[in-house]
Amino acid sequence: MARTHKLEDYRNFGIMAHIDAGKTTTTERVLYYSGKSHKIGEVHDGAATMDYMEQEQERGITITSAATTTFWNGKRLNIIDTPGHVDFTIEVERSLRVLDGAVCVLDSNQGVEPQTETVWRQGDKYNVPRIVFCNKMDKTGANFDQCLSDIKTRLGARPIALQLPIGAEANFKGIVDLIRMKAVVWEDEQLGAKFHDEEIPADMLERAKEARAELIEAAVEMDDAAMEAYLEGNEPDEATLKKLIRKAVLVSAWFPVLAGSAFKNKGVQTLLDAVVDFLPSPVDVPPTKGIDPKNEEEVVRQSSDDEPLSMLAFKIIEDPYGVLTFARVYSGVLNKGSTVLNSTREKRERIGRMVQMHADTREDVEEARAGDIVAFVGLKDTRTGDTLCDPLKPVILEKMEFPEPVIEMAVEAATKSEQEKLSIALQKLASEDPSFRVSTDQESGQTIIKGMGELHLDIKIDILRRAPHNIKVNVGAPQVAYRETIRKATEIDYTHKKQTGGTGQFAKVKFVVEPNEVGKGFQFENKIIGGVVPKEYIPGVEKGLNSVMTSGPLAGFPVVDVKVTLVDGAYHEVDSSAIAFEIASRAALREAIEKASPALLEPVMKVEIVSPEEYVGSVIGDVNSRRGQIQGQDMRGNANVITAFVPLANMFGYVNQLRSMSQGRASYTMQFDHYEQVPAAVAQEVQAKYA
Ligand SMILES: Nc1nc2c(ncn2[C@@H]2O[C@H](COP(=O)(O)OP(=O)(O)OP(=O)(O)O)[C@@H](O)[C@H]2O)c(=O)[nH]1
């Protein structure tokens, strides 16, 4: 089967935003106008097409990223929905990894908000070309110019308006298109609203000319010939201007800014035009790189059907039809019924059924080609972030990075009979979401779940309690994921000797134990010369050390950033064994850590609080009482923005406290920033609690 669309006519893009900026509404409208959605599910009715899960609709935030295919102006659009909540930035990263471009939606009344900033930085990290849509121009307080200046000051990026809003708030009518120098006016606020060109209103003409001059100057910077012509008095024509804008977007030289109101059905069609005109196709972005698993050499895969097959699984969801694995095809052609290699896990997977999602339907497809986003039904071993490829030409595409979880919670099934059901469900959740982990506490035997924040774990518990799982789960209080480390280097000489009739036990080890570079984790080196500790006992040594590393001597938390070198030792012909060396090494390391200024580390969160003036005093006082350090205070519109570092341990239940302190008017967001040593007095409390 041939291609329906040339690769140049693909736009794989995402819509990113702070919570409530209107990402879901905008996506809905895009699907409606591009003809693929027959009815619009208003967000406040809780029926949005992109929102899959029940509890998601209740919470009104989009947690899963779904991918939807639609069409506009002869182009094939694959829209990847990205969540806005900071607890789920991991999902945003995953989506950004497989996008070629993005629309960043702002609430024109709020400008650049904390998570706009977060997702923007992630966009920078993955070099995602972006355009900005200032949504909610109909809302009281909507301010397009403020959005432009926020992009400069808060994101440090260069915004260039392609449009100016005509009117604002209740009088928002349409936009001035600065490329064509025409007003575009929407005729009503209904769905499917019609629009037409008009002359630019007289009172806006001066401003439009200035804004257009700024656009043209930014555009001609992208091309020497265009610049020369411009300096000689020749402005680029419309087609050239669009090409120059596209060039700027592809290299993120600057960012085009548009205006509209998704909710009032204005500006969405012009946004779609901009997506088609300015966001990249798969051939406009650098080719995908990976490594050959056989020899670790770099492999480059061009975006083309003629290259060997390579795909990246970026999302796994469970819906009423079963498990769906979403993948982006980077190169090659995939046929239904073929077998692919999961090169990340060295497992083969048969592609039984594959589907493409549209707003309200799923379409069975027989093949997928470079540039496509497809979902597979019923894959067994593939996890988020895995590469699927041609078994004869294997490649592992760049791996995704996942941050360490900072919060944990004990869970158990209310009844014995449900215990197994719970553990199967938990394994499944962990395989869908790499930032969610499940483990068993060695001492208590409890099941521990770990994640990125309170809300993250709350949502997982919610999923377990609902259909199809319907498990009655009891949960413990959320706990901070502390870590242990050392501050000083030390040496330890330890002999394990036991003589109880028959064969005895003997092992002697000498270690140098020292702090390792931050982030380097645990490192073991064997510097034994002359076989004073024979090779066959080294696995025992490592096992002993590892048991201390997973459960440190201070309070049983993982020990990080420690280097242990085995420098000397002794053994006995008859009495030595791997077990004897394991026991000796465990005891030796515990003793060494106690001598090496052990320290307890805690996760510190970067917290941003947005508060009306009158509550700033109490907000700051409260942050200080939580061992927080205020980093800065800024004005955004008429609201104060307070940034602080606060230990996660002191952030539990903050949402309620802040609400009651500010009569519900202040809000906050936080994300993990770094680990820091716990002050002595607090460390004692933590130790007592976990002893
Ligand atoms: N006045 C106005 N309200 C809007 C507009 N677009 C969206 N809204 C409203 O803003 C709220 C949030 O919109 P959503 O589309 O759910 O925003 P979102 O960014 O998808 O939110 P999350 O999924 O929670 O990240 C809803 O109540 C919408 O009806 C707009 O253009 N104007």
Side-chain angles (χ1 to χ4, degrees):
M1 206 163 64
R3 276 192 166 276
T4 56
H5 289 74
K6 285 185 299 189
L7 256 176
E8 296 77 51
D9 291 341
Y10 275 60
R11 297 291 177 271
N12 282 330
F13 73 102
I15 300 186
M16 55 197 221
H18 186 90
I19 314 168
D20 271 359
K23 195 180 59 220
T24 305
T25 311
T26 305
T27 310
E28 288 280 339
R29 297 308 193 262
V30 163
L31 293 176
Y32 182 81
Y33 289 116
S34 56
K36 275 288 169 185
S37 168
H38 303 305
K39 65 168 194 294
I40 284 201
E42 283 305 345
V43 174
H44 51 245
D45 296 340
T49 333
M50 294 288 275
D51 285 10
Y52 278 107
M53 299 193 294
E54 218 182 314
Q55 78 268 31
E56 232 183 277
Q57 298 185 2
E58 283 169 19
R59 287 172 200 260
I61 54 172
T62 314
I63 300 152
T64 42
S65 303
T68 302
T69 301
T70 188
F71 305 90
W72 185 256
N73 281 357
K75 307 282 193 258
R76 185 183 180 102
L77 313 184
N78 290 320
I79 308 169
I80 293 156
D81 187 33
T82 58
H85 194 280
V86 80
D87 271 1
F88 310 106
T89 48
I90 192 71
E91 300 247 355
V92 184
E93 294 225 2
R94 248 187 246 163
S95 320
L96 290 185
R97 173 69 179 76
V98 299
L99 306 172
D100 298 323
V103 173
C104 178
V105 177
L106 301 186
D107 177 339
S108 300
N109 172 42
Q110 297 292 319
V112 170
E113 298 176 79
Q115 281 149 44
T116 324
E117 208 174 320
T118 308
V119 292
W120 189 271
R121 308 267 175 243
Q122 286 165 333
D124 287 343
K125 179 169 159 190
Y126 290 101
N127 290 321
V128 177
R130 275 153 280 176
I131 58 181
V132 181
F133 180 60
C134 297
N135 187 34
K136 301 200 186 184
M137 277 308 304
D138 62 298
K139 212 174 134 189
T140 310
N143 188 336
F144 185 72
D145 291 335
Q146 182 64 43
C147 291
L148 293 177
S149 90
D150 271 10
I151 295 169
K152 270 184 236 158
T153 56
R154 298 193 58 88
L155 303 177
R158 184 175 170 203
I160 299 289
L162 298 193
Q163 306 175 340
L164 295 179
I166 304 177
E169 307 183 341
N171 294 319
F172 176 62
K173 290 193 182 60
I175 51 114
V176 170
D177 176 342
L178 297 170
I179 299 175
R180 295 186 302 124
M181 281 305 261
K182 287 280 179 213
V184 183
V185 175
W186 274 262
E187 282 153 36
D188 56 34
E189 294 184 348
Q190 303 306 306
L191 278 176
K194 296 205 168 35
F195 56 100
H196 62 265
D197 279 355
E198 279 179 13
E199 290 312 313
I200 296 172
D203 61 345
M204 283 189 73
L205 198 55
E206 242 353 89
R207 197 131 180 250
K209 281 185 182 157
E210 280 167 26
R212 178 177 159 90
E214 196 182 332
L215 165 62
I216 303 244
E217 271 162 31
V220 296
E221 280 173 21
M222 302 311 301
D223 183 85
D224 289 345
M227 175 65 96
E228 236 167 81
Y230 176 68
L231 293 177
E232 283 160 15
N234 302 316
E235 281 194 355
D237 59 23
E238 187 181 326
T240 312
L241 182 53
K242 281 188 179 170
K243 265 192 210 137
L244 295 172
I245 297 171
R246 185 176 180 81
K247 202 166 169 188
V249 173
L250 295 191
V251 298
S252 297
W254 44 264
F255 299 91
V257 184
L258 294 85
S261 163
F263 186 62
K264 296 284 169 76
N265 304 299
K266 292 173 181 168
V268 177
Q269 298 93 337
T270 36
L271 170 65
L272 276 167
D273 289 343
V275 165
V276 162
D277 287 341
F278 308 126
L279 287 184
S281 79
V283 291
D284 294 318
V285 295
T288 306
K289 287 187 187 146
I291 54 162
D292 183 333
K294 285 178 298 200
N295 54 17
E296 304 266 308
E297 270 168 27
E298 190 181 89
V299 176
V300 177
R301 289 284 161 87
Q302 303 293 338
S303 202
S304 155
D305 292 353
D306 302 330
E307 294 262 303
L309 177 71
S310 69
M311 316 185 270
L312 191 75
F314 66 94
K315 176 79 201 169
I316 294 174
I317 61 165
E318 210 180 325
D319 78 351
Y321 299 87
V323 176
L324 280 180
T325 308
F326 284 83
R328 151 102 197 233
V329 186
Y330 283 95
S331 58
V333 180
L334 171 69
N335 289 302
K336 188 173 140 182
S338 59
T339 296
V340 297
L341 174 71
N342 178 331
S343 50
T344 312
R345 286 173 209 283
E346 297 180 14
K347 292 249 165 75
R348 283 174 186 245
E349 294 265 24
R350 207 184 96 86
I351 305 297
R353 221 182 129 199
M354 51 182 169
V355 294
Q356 229 142 34
M357 316 292 283
H358 300 289
D360 50 2
T361 54
R362 59 173 65 200
E363 176 197 359
D364 273 88
V365 291
E366 299 292 314
E367 62 160 32
R369 291 172 173 266
D372 277 335
I373 289 183
V374 276
F376 304 119
V377 183
L379 291 195
K380 290 199 185 65
D381 295 307
T382 300
R383 307 271 177 269
T384 298
D386 289 359
T387 301
L388 296 167
C389 62
D390 182 341
L392 299 175
K393 304 258 171 62
V395 60
I396 301 178
L397 302 175
E398 285 164 81
K399 294 221 180 90
M400 293 187 252
E401 284 169 35
F402 294 113
E404 285 296 309
V406 288
I407 186 168
E408 54 191 53
M409 195 188 252
V411 291
E412 60 174 24
T415 62
K416 266 238 156 62
S417 60
E418 282 191 310
Q419 196 60 46
E420 195 184 330
K421 221 170 127 189
L422 175 65
S423 86
I424 293 170
L426 284 173
Q427 288 311 329
K428 199 170 216 169
L429 290 179
S431 75
E432 290 169 10
D433 176 355
S435 60
F436 177 71
R437 317 262 170 97
V438 182
S439 61
T440 308
D441 186 278
Q442 284 178 346
E443 270 142 49
S444 66
Q446 274 180 323
T447 303
I448 308 290
I449 58 174
K450 297 181 186 178
M452 309 308 299
E454 259 180 304
L455 181 59
H456 189 203
L457 296 188
D458 272 2
I459 282 164
K460 301 296 178 194
I461 298 297
D462 238 36
I463 293 174
L464 295 170
R465 286 181 174 153
R466 280 167 197 274
H469 303 296
N470 292 319
I471 306 170
K472 289 187 201 68
V473 278
N474 297 330
V475 299
Q479 309 279 3
V480 174
Y482 291 100
R483 291 177 176 180
E484 301 180 16
T485 193
I486 54 170
R487 292 295 185 217
K488 263 183 13 203
T490 188
E491 273 187 15
I492 183 94
D493 219 328
Y494 192 93
T495 307
H496 172 65
K497 202 167 168 185
K498 218 165 165 192
Q499 204 65 56
T500 43
T503 355
Q505 290 184 5
F506 180 86
K508 182 175 187 310
V509 286
K510 185 174 180 186
F511 293 122
V512 173
V513 177
E514 57 201 325
N516 207 357
E517 237 173 275
V518 174
K520 277 273 165 71
F522 167 54
Q523 210 180 332
F524 170 69
E525 198 177 340
N526 176 12
K527 277 206 182 149
I528 289 295
I529 338 169
V532 286
V533 177
K535 268 209 185 73
E536 64 260 41
Y537 299 143
I538 298 296
V541 170
E542 289 191 69
K543 205 167 162 202
L545 297 177
N546 275 323
S547 72
V548 181
M549 287 304 176
T550 52
S551 174
L554 287 181
F557 290 101
V559 181
V560 297
D561 304 335
V562 172
K563 187 177 171 193
V564 180
T565 313
L566 179 63
V567 289
D568 200 4
Y571 71 106
H572 183 274
E573 285 295 346
V574 183
D575 292 348
S576 281
S577 64
I579 292 183
F581 273 95
E582 182 185 331
I583 296 171
S585 302
R586 180 181 308 127
L589 183 57
R590 289 187 82 93
E591 209 178 298
I593 289 177
E594 258 144 47
K595 281 181 19 189
S597 300
L600 194 64
L601 305 176
E602 63 180 344
V604 174
M605 310 301 280
K606 185 175 180 198
V607 183
E608 186 171 281
I609 306 152
V610 181
S611 168
E613 182 72 43
E614 55 263 52
Y615 309 113
V616 167
S618 21
V619 166
I620 290 180
D622 179 66
V623 166
N624 287 331
S625 75
R626 291 172 188 268
R627 294 197 281 126
Q629 291 168 338
I630 303 286
Q631 298 296 305
Q633 201 184 328
D634 244 338
M635 292 300 287
R636 188 182 309 145
N638 56 357
N640 275 265
V641 182
I642 300 144
T643 39
F645 285 134
V646 190
L648 174 64
N650 294 16
M651 285 302 290
F652 290 126
Y654 184 61
V655 64
N656 294 328
Q657 171 73 20
L658 185 66
R659 233 178 249 153
S660 69
M661 211 164 32
S662 67
Q663 303 186 350
R665 292 182 56 205
S667 63
Y668 82 103
T669 50
M670 67 173 183
Q671 77 186 99
F672 169 72
D673 197 81
H674 62 278
Y675 269 91
E676 204 170 283
Q677 185 162 345
V678 178
V682 181
Q684 271 171 11
E685 279 172 34
V686 175
Q687 275 178 270
K689 187 168 154 195
Y690 290 92

